[in-house]
Amino acid sequence: MSQVSHVTDRVAAQGTDGVAAQGTDEVAELRELLPGVEAAVREVGARLAALRPAEPTPGRTAAEAMAHFAELDGPAAAELRARLGVLRPQAGWVTDELEGTVPAAGEWWLCDATDGAVQYLLGQPHWAVTATLVRDGVAVLAVVHAPELGGRTYRAVRGGGAELDGRAVAPLERELPVAVAATSQPPSAAGDRVALRRAGESLTAVLGEVLAVRNLGPTALQVAQVGSGHLTLFWEYGADAGNLLPGALIAAEAGATVTDAAGAAWTAGSDSFLAAPPALHGEVVEVLRRVG
């Protein structure tokens, strides 16, 4: 469950036209920071994995389930904040008090100790720990770690490429009929009637063109998996920048094309999202244009 529901419109998609590459010195600086961020994320993930019961968490109501979740997520989030605070004491922390927005100036952490709270509470392995550094309104570093999915760890630096478990990754180019697509819904989807309609219509449209459509848990992880070819494409309707930012940076740095569903540059204010291999992206946009 992300602490971030949305970010300011000035946070642009990574890897889209018009975004200047980071200078060599800045990339080197961020790469130097990466190991410490990854270590913090991994340790928090290991602790949460050890605490998670194998069976679904009891709780007949949403309040009961979330109370139990808070007992686990709260300390984990505090530990992550403390660890990252040591690494980058000048960076701020996006909190509920900021209502999920990221200031356009300065450095800020967007973090989620348990991205995929629903899966976590159900005893499923599809959850992740994420940490994203935003500098002057732009995501410049991201780590997405899935403790119970083989311990996979994605990481990326803006202008410096993306990696999975230490190796460079790239999207998998394949024809649309054999593509495995993924989608999800923002936490606020129930209150957005337009997004609800578009989600349903787009599912029908995409299902008729691809091999399969899946929802495999955390949004950030699924978008990152487009960058490594474990998924062919990911799309979503509704505002969800806080969950999309980490994966968007990773996918774009891996070489995927990241836009909104109409093919325009994705920004934090966009009401849709699409990540796909460059050769396939235009074809997917045409499919999604059937959605009003």
Side-chain angles (χ1 to χ4, degrees):
M1 179 168 295
S2 177
Q3 289 179 299
V4 184
S5 60
H6 63 282
V7 295
T8 58
D9 290 350
R10 293 184 59 180
V11 183
Q14 309 308 308
T16 57
D17 292 341
V19 179
Q22 298 294 287
T24 303
D25 291 345
E26 190 169 10
V27 171
E29 173 203 4
L30 293 168
R31 282 194 173 279
E32 186 175 345
L33 182 62
L34 260 181
V37 177
E38 181 176 345
V41 166
R42 281 180 169 274
E43 289 186 23
V44 169
R47 206 172 323 279
L48 281 165
L51 292 171
R52 185 183 64 78
E55 299 299 322
T57 300
R60 297 184 59 183
T61 68
E64 291 175 356
M66 294 315 299
H68 179 75
F69 174 72
E71 294 177 359
L72 302 172
D73 181 75
E79 179 183 353
L80 188 59
R81 180 172 183 172
R83 292 284 300 270
L84 296 179
V86 171
L87 292 174
R88 205 73 180 173
Q90 68 269 43
W93 195 267
V94 177
T95 64
D96 293 337
E97 286 73 21
L98 289 175
E99 298 182 348
T101 61
V102 176
E107 289 190 347
W108 300 83
W109 286 109
L110 298 176
C111 298
D112 198 338
T114 319
D115 185 14
V118 172
Q119 291 76 237
Y120 184 88
L121 291 172
L122 289 175
Q124 298 179 4
H126 297 87
W127 58 277
V129 184
T130 72
T132 307
L133 183 66
V134 176
R135 177 176 290 168
D136 296 332
V138 176
V140 295
L141 177 153
V143 176
V144 176
H145 172 59
E148 297 188 89
L149 293 176
R152 287 180 179 174
T153 304
Y154 289 89
R155 62 185 200 174
V157 165
R158 185 169 184 258
E163 299 174 344
L164 169 58
D165 296 335
R167 62 178 177 82
V169 291
L172 182 62
E173 298 282 4
R174 58 173 59 202
E175 295 182 355
L176 194 57
V178 293
V180 176
T183 188
S184 188
Q185 302 82 39
S188 60
D192 186 340
R193 300 180 71 87
V194 173
L196 283 175
R197 177 181 57 78
R198 287 175 171 173
E201 292 179 3
S202 64
L203 179 60
T204 299
V206 175
L207 273 172
E209 303 291 340
V210 302
L211 181 64
V213 175
R214 299 288 185 262
N215 185 337
L216 300 175
T219 297
L221 180 60
Q222 293 186 92
V223 178
Q225 287 174 322
V226 174
S228 63
H230 289 88
L231 289 171
T232 311
L233 63 101
F234 178 95
W235 90 96
E236 183 180 275
Y237 284 93
D240 197 19
N243 286 320
L244 289 165
L245 274 170
L249 175 62
I250 292 166
E253 286 297 329
T257 301
V258 175
T259 66
D260 68 9
W266 180 75
T267 73
S270 298
D271 62 0
S272 62
F273 178 88
L274 171 62
L280 194 62
H281 179 268
E283 193 172 351
V284 181
V285 169
E286 289 302 315
V287 173
L288 294 176
R289 280 182 179 158
R290 303 173 195 169
V291 178

